[in-house]
Amino acid sequence: MTPSAESATTEPRDAADLHARIGAWFEVHARSLPWRTDPRPWPVMVSEFMLQQTPVVRVLPVFETWMTRWPTPAALAEEPVGEAVRAWGRLGYPRRAQRLHAAAAAIVERHGGEVPGTYEDLRDLPGIGDYTAAAIASFAFGRRHVVLDTNVRRVLVRVAEGRQYPHTSVTKDERALATSLLPDERADRWAAATMELGAVVCTARAPRCEACPVADLCRWRRAGHPEHDGPTRRGQAWAGTDRQCRGRLLAVLRESADPVPKAELDLVWDDIGQRERCLDSLIDDGLVTPRPDGTFTL
């Protein structure tokens, strides 16, 4: 049976030990990332949008280019949304660019061009959910919030509950556990440190327990690393999917400075039905604009 959050909750003394050890490890091993060296609200916000389901190594070059071109929300909001989608490059999930553009416009309209500092105001912006609002409030403003990304969740359930992986979605018990472990001071540092630990040491497929600062406190390790006993975890398919087809169509439009004729789009995907369906979905999502002359643009 899986321990409940109540039975797995760490005693205050043990929690303090976790905070001290993981915090000390973070001070030495934290990667130097631009949104950490420059934790102003806008760079933090852009990074949080880009890092959703996308590894750091792919985000870095796009982030640097983006911040040079659009150093403020107002700078982004002044340009057409198609330019945001174009600059998103091959990060995937291009609706994130669309939503970030909408959030920038809302920041200009509602907050005088300054990223708001409270969870409630952030949550009210387009495209920002619970995690992103908590992360921005924490990392950019030092607020005390539970920040539960995939890496943090994996660290907490392994150390405190003895499970290999968290549930597919955040449960009440999991949030209660994370809340019980949240330090009174520097909760933002705790969030960043546990996130980093999960990203580089307590990884999903090849955890490096020998490098973990809390390996001796980890219930999953003490139990002999039992395998996940929940629903089968499946990797996301790519080849032949609508996602791949949409990506191919967007790549043509992104790389062209001029409107693209339909004939050029027809060349990127052999399955006519799937190609037309994906193009229609891109138009419905507002990522592609059809023009009266039969060409298409972002």
Side-chain angles (χ1 to χ4, degrees):
M1 294 178 60
T2 301
S4 68
E6 182 178 359
S7 64
T9 299
T10 308
E11 293 296 326
R13 179 177 55 193
D14 297 330
D17 196 11
L18 287 175
H19 298 156
R21 292 203 212 178
I22 294 177
W25 172 88
F26 183 66
E27 292 297 325
V28 175
H29 298 283
R31 291 168 294 178
S32 179
L33 302 174
W35 45 88
R36 286 179 181 163
T37 56
D38 180 16
R40 289 176 298 124
W42 179 238
V44 169
M45 180 172 170
V46 171
S47 75
E48 288 299 332
F49 271 78
M50 290 186 173
L51 288 166
Q52 293 167 18
Q53 304 182 65
T54 308
V56 167
V57 67
R58 289 182 57 201
V59 165
L60 284 171
V62 181
F63 175 86
E64 297 285 9
T65 301
W66 188 285
M67 293 309 303
T68 298
R69 181 173 178 180
W70 296 308
T72 65
L76 176 59
E78 286 174 359
E79 295 212 37
V81 65
E83 287 304 301
V85 175
R86 190 187 307 277
W88 201 254
R90 298 185 180 276
L91 286 183
Y93 303 100
R95 274 178 288 187
R96 291 181 294 169
Q98 187 183 49
R99 290 165 181 162
L100 181 52
H101 184 277
I107 289 171
V108 172
E109 180 182 348
R110 304 175 196 171
H111 302 283
E114 299 294 331
V115 177
T118 67
Y119 170 90
E120 292 75 17
D121 284 341
L122 288 163
R123 188 69 177 81
D124 195 44
L125 294 174
I128 293 189
D130 171 75
Y131 163 77
T132 305
I136 297 169
S138 179
F139 299 142
F141 296 98
R143 311 276 188 195
R144 185 176 182 269
H145 290 287
V146 169
V147 180
L148 284 175
D149 84 333
T150 301
N151 291 313
V152 174
R153 296 177 63 209
R154 187 169 56 252
V155 168
L156 296 188
V157 299
R158 284 178 177 177
V159 171
E161 295 190 352
R163 293 190 287 117
Q164 184 180 19
Y165 298 123
H167 296 291
T168 305
S169 57
V170 178
T171 65
K172 289 183 179 179
D173 282 352
E174 187 180 349
R175 185 168 292 278
L177 170 63
T179 301
S180 75
L181 290 172
L182 195 65
D184 293 331
E185 303 291 336
R186 293 304 309 275
D188 57 322
R189 179 172 175 267
W190 168 249
T194 49
M195 191 176 293
E196 187 78 345
L197 187 64
V200 303
V201 173
C202 193
T203 59
R205 296 184 179 178
R208 298 188 297 117
C209 296
E210 71 283 356
C212 179
V214 292
D216 60 313
L217 301 178
C218 179
R219 293 189 176 197
W220 185 56
R221 180 173 178 269
R222 289 204 305 260
H225 303 102
E227 292 192 6
H228 180 66
D229 61 358
T232 302
R233 297 167 60 87
R234 295 183 177 90
Q236 289 186 325
W238 172 249
T241 62
D242 283 4
R243 270 194 66 212
Q244 186 183 31
C245 181
R246 283 165 56 103
R248 294 264 184 92
L249 294 168
L250 280 175
V252 174
L253 293 162
R254 189 171 52 242
E255 292 163 9
S256 175
D258 300 314
V260 176
K262 179 66 161 54
E264 289 187 26
L265 295 177
D266 290 344
L267 295 174
V268 305
W269 201 261
D270 292 335
D271 187 324
I272 298 174
Q274 186 179 23
R275 186 181 67 231
E276 294 301 313
R277 181 178 70 248
C278 289
L279 180 58
D280 287 343
S281 73
L282 289 169
I283 293 170
D284 290 342
D285 289 342
L287 294 169
V288 171
T289 302
R291 293 163 53 93
D293 61 1
T295 60
F296 297 82
T297 187
L298 294 178

